Amino acid sequence: MTDRSVEREGNMQEKKITIIERATEIIAKKGYHAASIQEIAEASKLSKGAFYLYFKSKDELMAEILRYHFGLITEEIEKVDRQDINSREKAKLRLSTMMRELVKRGNFIVMQRHDIDSDIGKEMELFFLEEMEKGRRKTELDLLDVYGEVSKPYLKDLRILQEGILFQIIGDMLLHGLILDLDKTAAYILERMDDMVEGLLKRKAEPLVTDATPVSASIFEKEMKEREVKQVLERMQIVILTLDAEIQEVQELQGVVELIQEELQKKEPRKLLIQGLSANFKGIEEMDDLRRELARLLDIKVL
Amino acid sequence: MTDRSVEREGNMQEKKITIIERATEIIAKKGYHAASIQEIAEASKLSKGAFYLYFKSKDELMAEILRYHFGLITEEIEKVDRQDINSREKAKLRLSTMMRELVKRGNFIVMQRHDIDSDIGKEMELFFLEEMEKGRRKTELDLLDVYGEVSKPYLKDLRILQEGILFQIIGDMLLHGLILDLDKTAAYILERMDDMVEGLLKRKAEPLVTDATPVSASIFEKEMKEREVKQVLERMQIVILTLDAEIQEVQELQGVVELIQEELQKKEPRKLLIQGLSANFKGIEEMDDLRRELARLLDIKVL
Amino acid sequence: MTDRSVEREGNMQEKKITIIERATEIIAKKGYHAASIQEIAEASKLSKGAFYLYFKSKDELMAEILRYHFGLITEEIEKVDRQDINSREKAKLRLSTMMRELVKRGNFIVMQRHDIDSDIGKEMELFFLEEMEKGRRKTELDLLDVYGEVSKPYLKDLRILQEGILFQIIGDMLLHGLILDLDKTAAYILERMDDMVEGLLKRKAEPLVTDATPVSASIFEKEMKEREVKQVLERMQIVILTLDAEIQEVQELQGVVELIQEELQKKEPRKLLIQGLSANFKGIEEMDDLRRELARLLDIKVL
Amino acid sequence: MTDRSVEREGNMQEKKITIIERATEIIAKKGYHAASIQEIAEASKLSKGAFYLYFKSKDELMAEILRYHFGLITEEIEKVDRQDINSREKAKLRLSTMMRELVKRGNFIVMQRHDIDSDIGKEMELFFLEEMEKGRRKTELDLLDVYGEVSKPYLKDLRILQEGILFQIIGDMLLHGLILDLDKTAAYILERMDDMVEGLLKRKAEPLVTDATPVSASIFEKEMKEREVKQVLERMQIVILTLDAEIQEVQELQGVVELIQEELQKKEPRKLLIQGLSANFKGIEEMDDLRRELARLLDIKVL
DNA sequence: AATGAATGAGAGTTCATTCAT
DNA sequence: TATGAATGAACTCTCATTCAT
């Protein structure tokens, strides 16, 4: 890449970020649908046509908005994680950082309260769900770090309690303009967590949520399955690469996986189509297990 | 009202409720914009044209959906309040009722996560904000009831803590299909509140939020002003009725107030228009104060 | 269907025909792309929005335009065929009718000289090709009728000669406004055909085109294959109906056929997808032959 | 012109031809509209911007494409004409050359079946019509050369017959991939022409088309007028050059003519504008006749 | 009370063309 | 000579809303 093109690339990125930020504001204010490309472009001092030089569709913009903010927030949290301080200090810092970032990105948060889910397509929905899940898992580990082994049975409870309190405070800051000292607030939250941990242990309370807590089949399974399916398909891609086959066949098989992924993105994936597509793996021993696994997950036949 | 019209009225209401419920489902599934009147009408076994006999616009439907669900939930909570049991039991019952109602109205809750556009109009936004504020105030009183005078400095804190925990749990139930015994969960939440109250008192902790906590002017003032303006206009309507004037003039003046209200509903009310409209009250002594008050609030001249 | 709805149905059809006719004119004048829905709607005294009540897309309009004119022309020709006159008279009548219809539908003919092919989608392209082929076969039979068994080796030649002359004359009429007496012209064409038949026979000329004439693989096979594939799929649908299977399975299998058809409509059908889809027929003996046939035609594997 | 500029000129031409050829392919495949400048530029290994260095618009490209292929075909035919062989051999050679060239330029031919919008501008339409007319006249002369004076009354008929047969065969080759020996085919066509000439003479048949055949006024006159107007304007330019006037005035008058020509290119030339423009010639005696002639042809007033 | 045809504003998107570099 | 970012007009299509019946 020449200097010129690096520079251009840089400009490109800058402009994209401008658009993302303006769009975040507007979408926060009016919702995804009501925010027109026209308005977003104008706010970015661009013509409607130019918008499409940077994003190939409104949906892609939305996806990049999500990735952008998630990315920056994650980055800040990771900075905290890398600091060399004791776990309690770290927990406090994480809480205040989280608040600072989310309040700073208030528009982004409000935006999410609008209509992301329905329209953005399965891909982003999954990305979103995964980031949330990742966040939850990390929070539990962090809590374990602070409260030690004894807290283990209560980890899920504690996560719910902490997230609830944290998000409610952030919500109040954003919606009612409450102004709080973030460090004090972080300390306050941690103290309340202490209170509750102490209470739970003292009472030998029964945990509210454990791994054994039942979960409504319909929702849970759907979520799990989607995730598992995704993993199976990814494993398929890896296995295909390790096959002792001609390059052309490898490409074809990868194509099949991609077609399946594509179909699964759709609102109502057609089972028969996937059933058929996966038949393309027939005769490849290495794929047999994965194929059967996929069939089980999607409730399709192994042809 | 004749029997016929009562009956019709009844049918009317029934149909409206049918529409509201179908609409809630559809909007929950696809979001406000993606849910077309066509589809809502069809799901309610109605023609598109007939829909408009019941609701005068899509936004009005949305408003009525909000009112409908809020109303039913409030009703259930009031039933609890009327029960003759001790305040702790009542608090527990309120929590479980709240969870039951919100989970039952899952569609409604999910719906709100979609794009209830700001388009929905100032009126609804205000209704919404007021209901929330009312809810918060009531929660604080309930907490005072349970934890007594000593908890008074912490009432705002406790409300935030309880609401955070409550909504997080409801969210987990709705989004991830978590299944919990509501009575046990209510007791669990109350116990955690106990833990925190105990902790706060023991530590003589400084409250996080009090009446003195600063609030970002922009948001708070906007909200306050809107409420005040509304009140001024309502007082104007009352004053007009007490005027010793001809019926025609009274109607005209009422009309002016209504026009002002109408204009204020809009996204960007035109100051000059309101400035002019309010000049119609010139020469009516009884209105002078109100007129000046309105001018101050809206930052317009008194012509 | 009630009287009312019949009537409405009638209106519907009338309006559709109005649109088709206005659209034909406009497209003839400016080409498919340059003819905007706006303009077509206005010419039909309709709003842009109303257009979409009658046709669900511009492409569908185009398809219906083709069907409409082809249908009417075919009808006229069939009327001639049903007349009880000798074959020479019939041939003459057919020629004059053809000229009359094509000149009358000049706009339609000119329209076709614009951009039908590329955009209208494979379905219409196939419809078009088939109608043309049908026309050619019929013309050969008609010629056989007129010139008897001796003309058999020359039938393809004669068809080319006659169609060439016929279309050239029609073209001259349309493009240069040439005005001819259609009956005389038909007689003239027939006389020239007589001249050439006589010449061919007298010289014992070698036919120019026979069934044995080589055809560029790429084009011919493509055409043939498409037609054959279509037939195979249609036969599949019939076989499925005769299967001794549960209704649900039948519907599923029909769904598979439809998915294949859908994919084949696309500009670049993905072989792997079809290969997979057809694997859904595995285990159904009655389908085996058809499945293998399909695989052969599309050069895919039988999984 | 310096060497450098000659060289550049050469490069220029080379690039233009590259573009023309790539464009012909693409337009043949997708149609005029669907073929974007972007794609054409890329296929020619050029940036979108650079494309406009070679052609000042998409329409101009289209025009040059037409001229390019017409030119090459004409050139080939002229080579045949220059050969020293008898007229029958020459006729045969012309037919086979025509077929060879048109089939070779299949893309070009197919391209024309797409939407060469009327947008392409009057200029090209006229060029096109004139080339066709020139072709027709030449064909008639060639036929006279082969069949002698006796064929004179039938020349127009024979041209129509020959062109019809020729184009039909070419069409079949292009559309259905028919593969024919071009020399044999040329001989075959000529034999059929012989058959028909013999038939016509023997029967003393009345010619189908003669100079006296009526032509629909609307089309014919329009064509004629356009040609006449063009000639009048050209004569004006010449007259202006012969005027005994100052250079500045000459340039101005030429400018007026150019403006009129420009306006006439448009789809709907504004009469009033031309009427006004031509008033600029007032007071110049030498132009009076031409001016009145122009006014008559365009049905405007002589101011 | 009910219908559904009709409207028209406005959405996302594409693309020929221009222009600063 | 060459680039590609930028423009803006035009396109197809959707949908809340109205209105004659």
Side-chain angles (χ1 to χ4, degrees):
Chain A
M1 213 184 258
T2 68
D3 267 21
R4 268 300 291 281
S5 74
V6 166
E7 193 186 305
R8 247 191 259 126
E9 182 73 359
N11 278 335
M12 175 90 176
Q13 277 311 320
E14 262 176 52
K15 285 252 170 92
K16 278 187 94 158
I17 289 174
T18 306
I19 298 175
I20 285 175
E21 286 176 347
R22 283 315 132 266
T24 305
E25 286 163 19
I26 295 172
I27 295 175
K29 208 158 80 193
K30 332 177 78 174
Y32 181 70
H33 277 99
S36 70
I37 297 292
Q38 180 80 260
E39 191 178 357
I40 292 170
E42 267 167 27
S44 314
K45 292 184 200 311
L46 236 48
S47 70
K48 218 178 358 159
F51 169 87
Y52 285 90
L53 293 174
Y54 298 99
F55 299 92
K56 69 172 186 287
S57 73
K58 197 182 181 185
D59 277 6
E60 207 200 72
L61 165 64
M62 192 68 193
E64 294 225 20
I65 286 177
L66 284 184
R67 265 195 286 267
Y68 174 75
H69 292 284
F70 262 110
L72 290 185
I73 294 169
T74 306
E75 215 171 88
E76 288 305 310
I77 294 292
E78 280 169 359
K79 268 189 211 158
V80 172
D81 286 336
R82 282 194 299 273
Q83 287 193 31
D84 188 21
I85 46 179
N86 73 45
S87 48
R88 195 170 174 90
E89 282 309 304
K90 217 178 249 183
K92 238 190 282 181
L93 212 49
R94 257 193 304 257
L95 284 170
S96 60
T97 304
M98 201 71 187
M99 285 188 282
R100 185 170 303 108
E101 282 300 311
L102 291 183
V103 171
K104 200 202 303 179
R105 303 186 181 286
N107 282 326
F108 171 58
I109 305 303
V110 174
M111 189 187 87
Q112 292 193 60
R113 305 198 68 233
H114 288 310
D115 57 343
I116 27 161
D117 311 36
S118 36
D119 307 280
I120 201 173
K122 286 236 173 141
E123 192 198 336
M124 274 331 282
E125 205 182 322
L126 212 57
F127 169 76
F128 194 80
L129 286 174
E130 263 171 28
E131 288 299 311
M132 295 305 265
E133 175 65 17
K134 237 189 270 174
R136 281 193 294 271
R137 274 198 298 258
K138 182 163 179 314
T139 302
E140 288 178 24
L141 290 176
D142 293 343
L143 286 163
L144 181 62
D145 210 28
V146 175
Y147 295 108
E149 281 295 314
V150 286
S151 69
K152 222 166 187 175
Y154 300 113
L155 280 184
K156 284 183 185 301
D157 286 17
L158 293 175
R159 190 222 92 220
I160 291 173
L161 294 166
Q162 177 173 295
E163 274 191 356
I165 293 169
L166 180 68
F167 292 152
Q168 186 72 25
I169 289 173
I170 291 170
D172 272 36
M173 289 199 269
L174 288 174
L175 291 176
H176 309 111
L178 204 62
I179 296 170
L180 299 174
D181 177 304
L182 297 185
D183 294 326
K184 275 192 195 162
T185 306
Y188 182 95
I189 294 176
L190 213 53
E191 271 182 9
R192 296 298 77 67
M193 293 302 292
D194 294 346
D195 296 343
M196 292 189 287
V197 169
E198 197 182 326
L200 284 164
L201 293 173
K202 198 168 61 193
R203 298 178 209 261
K204 294 182 179 160
E206 191 187 342
L208 184 67
V209 178
T210 68
D211 285 327
T213 308
V215 159
S216 145
S218 63
I219 296 181
F220 173 76
E221 278 180 20
K222 210 176 141 240
E223 228 174 272
M224 279 305 291
K225 257 185 201 164
E226 267 172 25
R227 218 165 295 166
E228 280 190 67
V229 165
K230 210 185 150 196
Q231 283 164 10
V232 168
L233 289 169
E234 278 163 7
R235 263 182 284 148
M236 278 183 162
Q237 289 184 308
I238 295 167
V239 169
I240 288 169
L241 290 174
T242 65
L243 288 179
D244 182 27
E246 286 183 31
I247 185 147
Q248 204 199 341
E249 203 194 353
V250 167
Q251 282 180 347
E252 270 185 29
L253 292 173
Q254 296 287 18
V256 171
V257 175
E258 276 160 29
L259 280 173
I260 293 177
Q261 284 170 333
E262 210 172 278
E263 185 65 20
L264 286 170
Q265 300 285 0
K266 295 186 185 166
K267 268 183 212 167
E268 301 201 4
R270 288 155 294 183
K271 277 189 184 182
L272 291 171
L273 204 152
I274 297 170
Q275 185 167 294
L277 278 170
S278 64
N280 283 300
F281 302 128
K282 199 176 153 182
I284 304 171
E285 260 178 63
E286 293 91 329
M287 303 283 292
D288 270 5
D289 285 351
L290 287 168
R291 221 179 122 209
R292 231 166 288 130
E293 179 73 3
L294 188 70
R296 188 186 58 79
L297 286 166
L298 298 177
D299 185 30
I300 58 177
K301 283 185 223 155
V302 180
L303 296 173
Chain B
M1 212 183 256
T2 68
D3 266 21
R4 267 300 293 279
S5 73
V6 167
E7 194 185 304
R8 245 192 262 130
E9 181 73 358
N11 276 335
M12 175 88 175
Q13 278 311 321
E14 261 176 53
K15 284 246 171 103
K16 280 186 94 157
I17 289 175
T18 306
I19 297 175
I20 286 174
E21 286 176 346
R22 284 312 134 269
T24 304
E25 286 162 19
I26 294 172
I27 295 175
K29 207 159 83 190
K30 330 176 84 175
Y32 182 71
H33 271 98
S36 69
I37 295 293
Q38 181 77 262
E39 191 177 357
I40 292 170
E42 264 168 29
S44 314
K45 294 191 196 320
L46 236 50
S47 75
K48 226 189 327 177
F51 170 89
Y52 282 88
L53 293 174
Y54 298 100
F55 300 91
K56 73 171 190 285
S57 75
K58 197 181 181 185
D59 279 2
E60 206 200 70
L61 164 65
M62 196 64 197
E64 296 226 19
I65 287 177
L66 286 183
R67 265 196 283 270
Y68 175 76
H69 291 284
F70 260 110
L72 290 184
I73 293 169
T74 306
E75 214 170 90
E76 287 304 311
I77 294 292
E78 280 170 358
K79 268 189 211 158
V80 172
D81 286 336
R82 282 195 301 271
Q83 285 194 34
D84 187 21
I85 46 179
N86 73 45
S87 49
R88 195 173 174 87
E89 281 310 302
K90 217 177 248 182
K92 236 190 282 182
L93 212 49
R94 259 193 304 257
L95 285 170
S96 61
T97 304
M98 199 72 187
M99 288 188 281
R100 186 170 302 107
E101 282 301 310
L102 290 183
V103 170
K104 201 205 300 180
R105 302 185 183 287
N107 278 331
F108 170 59
I109 306 301
V110 174
M111 191 187 82
Q112 294 195 61
R113 301 198 61 238
H114 288 310
D115 57 341
I116 312 178
D117 275 355
S118 318
D119 294 354
I120 197 177
K122 285 263 167 80
E123 191 199 1
M124 260 345 267
E125 211 182 317
L126 214 56
F127 168 77
F128 198 79
L129 286 174
E130 267 171 23
E131 287 298 310
M132 295 305 264
E133 177 63 20
K134 237 188 271 173
R136 280 193 295 271
R137 275 198 298 259
K138 182 165 181 313
T139 303
E140 288 178 25
L141 290 177
D142 292 343
L143 285 163
L144 181 63
D145 210 27
V146 175
Y147 293 109
E149 282 295 315
V150 288
S151 69
K152 220 165 188 176
Y154 301 114
L155 280 184
K156 284 184 184 300
D157 286 17
L158 294 176
R159 189 223 93 218
I160 290 175
L161 295 165
Q162 178 173 295
E163 274 190 355
I165 293 170
L166 180 67
F167 291 152
Q168 186 72 26
I169 290 174
I170 292 170
D172 271 37
M173 289 200 267
L174 287 174
L175 290 176
H176 309 112
L178 204 62
I179 295 171
L180 298 174
D181 177 305
L182 297 186
D183 294 325
K184 276 191 193 163
T185 305
Y188 182 94
I189 294 176
L190 215 51
E191 270 182 9
R192 296 298 75 67
M193 292 304 292
D194 295 345
D195 295 343
M196 291 190 288
V197 169
E198 197 181 327
L200 284 165
L201 293 175
K202 198 167 63 193
R203 299 178 209 261
K204 294 184 179 157
E206 191 188 344
L208 184 66
V209 178
T210 67
D211 285 328
T213 309
V215 160
S216 146
S218 64
I219 296 182
F220 174 75
E221 278 179 19
K222 210 173 143 241
E223 229 173 271
M224 279 307 290
K225 257 187 202 163
E226 270 168 22
R227 222 166 293 174
E228 279 189 68
V229 166
K230 209 184 150 195
Q231 284 162 11
V232 169
L233 290 168
E234 278 164 5
R235 264 181 285 147
M236 277 183 164
Q237 290 183 309
I238 293 165
V239 170
I240 289 169
L241 290 174
T242 65
L243 287 179
D244 181 25
E246 285 184 32
I247 187 149
Q248 206 197 339
E249 203 195 350
V250 167
Q251 283 181 345
E252 271 183 30
L253 293 172
Q254 294 289 18
V256 170
V257 175
E258 276 160 31
L259 281 172
I260 294 175
Q261 284 171 331
E262 214 171 273
E263 185 65 19
L264 286 169
Q265 299 286 0
K266 295 188 183 166
K267 265 187 228 169
E268 302 200 4
R270 288 155 292 182
K271 278 191 184 181
L272 292 172
L273 201 152
I274 297 171
Q275 190 166 289
L277 279 170
S278 63
N280 285 298
F281 303 130
K282 200 173 156 182
I284 305 172
E285 259 179 62
E286 295 90 331
M287 305 282 294
D288 270 5
D289 284 351
L290 288 168
R291 224 180 121 206
R292 231 166 287 129
E293 178 73 4
L294 188 71
R296 189 186 57 77
L297 287 167
L298 298 177
D299 187 28
I300 58 177
K301 283 184 220 152
V302 179
L303 296 174
Chain C
M1 213 184 255
T2 67
D3 268 20
R4 270 298 292 279
S5 74
V6 166
E7 193 186 304
R8 247 190 259 128
E9 182 73 359
N11 277 334
M12 176 92 175
Q13 277 311 319
E14 263 176 51
K15 286 249 170 96
K16 278 186 95 159
I17 288 174
T18 306
I19 298 175
I20 285 175
E21 286 176 347
R22 284 314 134 267
T24 306
E25 286 163 19
I26 295 172
I27 295 175
K29 207 158 80 192
K30 332 177 78 174
Y32 180 69
H33 277 99
S36 71
I37 296 293
Q38 180 80 259
E39 191 177 356
I40 291 170
E42 267 165 27
S44 313
K45 292 187 200 315
L46 237 47
S47 70
K48 217 184 350 165
F51 169 88
Y52 285 91
L53 293 174
Y54 298 99
F55 300 92
K56 67 174 189 287
S57 73
K58 198 182 180 184
D59 277 6
E60 207 200 73
L61 165 65
M62 193 67 193
E64 295 224 20
I65 287 177
L66 285 184
R67 265 195 286 268
Y68 174 76
H69 291 285
F70 262 111
L72 290 185
I73 294 170
T74 306
E75 214 170 89
E76 288 305 310
I77 294 292
E78 280 169 358
K79 268 188 212 159
V80 172
D81 285 336
R82 281 195 299 272
Q83 286 194 32
D84 189 20
I85 47 180
N86 74 46
S87 48
R88 195 170 175 88
E89 282 310 303
K90 217 178 248 184
K92 237 190 282 181
L93 212 49
R94 257 193 304 256
L95 284 170
S96 60
T97 303
M98 201 71 187
M99 286 188 281
R100 186 170 303 109
E101 282 300 311
L102 291 182
V103 170
K104 200 203 302 180
R105 303 185 181 288
N107 281 327
F108 172 58
I109 305 304
V110 175
M111 188 187 87
Q112 293 194 61
R113 305 198 67 233
H114 287 310
D115 56 343
I116 28 162
D117 312 35
S118 36
D119 306 280
I120 200 174
K122 286 236 173 139
E123 191 198 338
M124 274 332 281
E125 206 182 321
L126 212 57
F127 168 77
F128 194 79
L129 286 174
E130 263 171 27
E131 288 299 312
M132 296 305 265
E133 175 63 18
K134 237 188 271 174
R136 282 193 292 271
R137 274 197 298 258
K138 182 163 181 313
T139 303
E140 288 178 23
L141 289 176
D142 292 343
L143 286 162
L144 181 62
D145 210 27
V146 175
Y147 295 108
E149 282 295 314
V150 286
S151 68
K152 222 166 187 175
Y154 300 114
L155 279 184
K156 285 183 185 302
D157 287 17
L158 293 175
R159 190 222 93 220
I160 290 173
L161 295 166
Q162 177 173 295
E163 275 190 357
I165 293 169
L166 179 67
F167 292 152
Q168 186 72 26
I169 290 174
I170 291 170
D172 272 36
M173 289 199 267
L174 288 175
L175 291 176
H176 308 112
L178 204 61
I179 296 171
L180 298 174
D181 177 305
L182 298 185
D183 294 324
K184 276 193 195 162
T185 306
Y188 182 95
I189 294 175
L190 213 53
E191 269 184 9
R192 296 296 78 64
M193 292 303 292
D194 294 346
D195 295 345
M196 291 189 287
V197 170
E198 197 183 325
L200 284 165
L201 293 174
K202 199 168 61 194
R203 300 178 207 261
K204 293 182 181 161
E206 191 188 342
L208 184 67
V209 178
T210 67
D211 286 326
T213 308
V215 159
S216 147
S218 63
I219 295 182
F220 173 75
E221 277 181 19
K222 210 174 141 241
E223 229 174 272
M224 279 306 290
K225 259 186 199 164
E226 268 170 23
R227 219 165 296 166
E228 280 190 68
V229 165
K230 211 185 148 195
Q231 283 163 10
V232 169
L233 289 169
E234 278 163 6
R235 263 182 285 148
M236 277 183 164
Q237 289 184 309
I238 294 166
V239 170
I240 289 169
L241 289 174
T242 65
L243 287 179
D244 182 26
E246 287 183 31
I247 185 146
Q248 205 200 338
E249 204 195 352
V250 167
Q251 284 180 347
E252 271 185 29
L253 292 172
Q254 295 289 17
V256 171
V257 175
E258 277 161 28
L259 281 173
I260 294 176
Q261 284 171 332
E262 210 172 277
E263 185 65 20
L264 286 169
Q265 299 286 1
K266 294 187 184 165
K267 269 184 209 164
E268 300 202 5
R270 288 155 293 183
K271 276 190 186 181
L272 290 171
L273 204 153
I274 297 170
Q275 185 166 294
L277 278 170
S278 63
N280 284 298
F281 302 128
K282 197 175 154 183
I284 304 171
E285 259 179 62
E286 293 91 330
M287 304 282 294
D288 270 4
D289 284 351
L290 286 169
R291 221 178 123 209
R292 231 166 288 132
E293 180 72 4
L294 187 71
R296 188 186 58 78
L297 286 168
L298 297 177
D299 186 30
I300 57 178
K301 283 183 222 155
V302 179
L303 296 173
Chain D
M1 211 184 258
T2 67
D3 266 20
R4 266 302 290 280
S5 74
V6 166
E7 193 185 305
R8 245 194 260 130
E9 181 73 358
N11 277 334
M12 176 88 175
Q13 278 310 322
E14 260 176 54
K15 284 247 171 103
K16 278 186 94 157
I17 289 174
T18 306
I19 298 174
I20 285 174
E21 285 177 346
R22 284 312 135 268
T24 305
E25 285 162 19
I26 294 171
I27 295 175
K29 208 160 81 189
K30 331 176 81 173
Y32 182 70
H33 272 99
S36 69
I37 296 292
Q38 180 77 260
E39 190 177 357
I40 291 170
E42 265 168 29
S44 314
K45 293 189 198 318
L46 235 52
S47 73
K48 225 187 330 173
F51 169 89
Y52 282 88
L53 294 174
Y54 298 99
F55 299 91
K56 73 171 191 287
S57 75
K58 197 181 181 184
D59 279 2
E60 206 201 71
L61 164 65
M62 195 65 198
E64 297 226 18
I65 287 177
L66 287 183
R67 266 196 283 269
Y68 175 75
H69 291 284
F70 261 111
L72 291 184
I73 293 169
T74 306
E75 213 171 89
E76 288 304 310
I77 294 293
E78 281 169 357
K79 268 189 211 158
V80 172
D81 286 336
R82 283 194 297 272
Q83 285 193 34
D84 188 20
I85 47 181
N86 73 46
S87 49
R88 196 173 173 86
E89 281 309 303
K90 217 178 249 183
K92 236 191 281 182
L93 211 48
R94 259 192 304 257
L95 284 170
S96 61
T97 303
M98 200 71 187
M99 287 188 280
R100 186 170 301 107
E101 282 301 309
L102 289 182
V103 170
K104 200 205 301 181
R105 303 185 182 285
N107 279 332
F108 170 58
I109 306 302
V110 174
M111 191 186 82
Q112 295 196 61
R113 300 198 61 236
H114 289 310
D115 56 342
I116 312 176
D117 275 355
S118 317
D119 294 354
I120 198 176
K122 285 262 167 80
E123 191 201 359
M124 258 346 267
E125 212 182 316
L126 213 57
F127 168 77
F128 197 80
L129 286 173
E130 267 172 23
E131 287 299 309
M132 295 306 264
E133 176 63 19
K134 238 188 270 172
R136 280 194 293 272
R137 274 197 298 259
K138 181 166 183 311
T139 303
E140 287 177 26
L141 290 177
D142 292 343
L143 285 162
L144 181 62
D145 209 27
V146 176
Y147 294 110
E149 282 295 316
V150 286
S151 68
K152 220 166 188 176
Y154 301 113
L155 280 185
K156 285 185 184 300
D157 286 17
L158 293 176
R159 189 222 92 218
I160 290 173
L161 294 166
Q162 178 173 294
E163 274 190 357
I165 293 169
L166 179 67
F167 292 153
Q168 185 73 26
I169 290 174
I170 292 170
D172 271 36
M173 288 200 269
L174 288 175
L175 291 176
H176 309 114
L178 204 62
I179 296 171
L180 298 174
D181 177 304
L182 298 186
D183 294 327
K184 275 193 195 163
T185 305
Y188 182 94
I189 294 175
L190 215 51
E191 270 183 9
R192 294 297 76 65
M193 292 304 292
D194 294 347
D195 295 343
M196 291 189 288
V197 169
E198 197 181 327
L200 284 164
L201 294 174
K202 198 168 62 195
R203 298 179 210 261
K204 295 184 179 157
E206 190 189 342
L208 184 66
V209 178
T210 67
D211 286 327
T213 309
V215 161
S216 145
S218 65
I219 296 182
F220 174 75
E221 278 180 19
K222 212 174 141 236
E223 230 174 89
M224 279 307 290
K225 258 188 201 162
E226 270 168 23
R227 221 165 294 174
E228 280 189 66
V229 167
K230 210 182 150 195
Q231 283 163 10
V232 168
L233 289 168
E234 279 163 6
R235 264 181 285 147
M236 278 183 165
Q237 290 183 307
I238 294 166
V239 170
I240 289 169
L241 290 175
T242 66
L243 287 179
D244 181 25
E246 287 184 30
I247 186 148
Q248 205 197 340
E249 203 194 352
V250 167
Q251 282 180 347
E252 270 182 30
L253 292 173
Q254 294 290 16
V256 171
V257 174
E258 276 160 30
L259 281 173
I260 294 176
Q261 284 171 330
E262 214 170 273
E263 185 64 21
L264 285 169
Q265 298 286 1
K266 295 189 183 165
K267 265 187 230 170
E268 301 200 5
R270 287 155 293 182
K271 278 190 183 181
L272 291 172
L273 203 152
I274 298 172
Q275 190 166 289
L277 280 169
S278 63
N280 286 297
F281 303 129
K282 200 173 157 182
I284 305 171
E285 257 180 64
E286 293 91 331
M287 304 282 294
D288 270 5
D289 284 351
L290 287 169
R291 223 179 123 206
R292 230 165 289 130
E293 178 74 3
L294 188 70
R296 189 187 56 78
L297 286 167
L298 298 177
D299 187 27
I300 58 178
K301 283 184 221 154
V302 179
L303 296 175

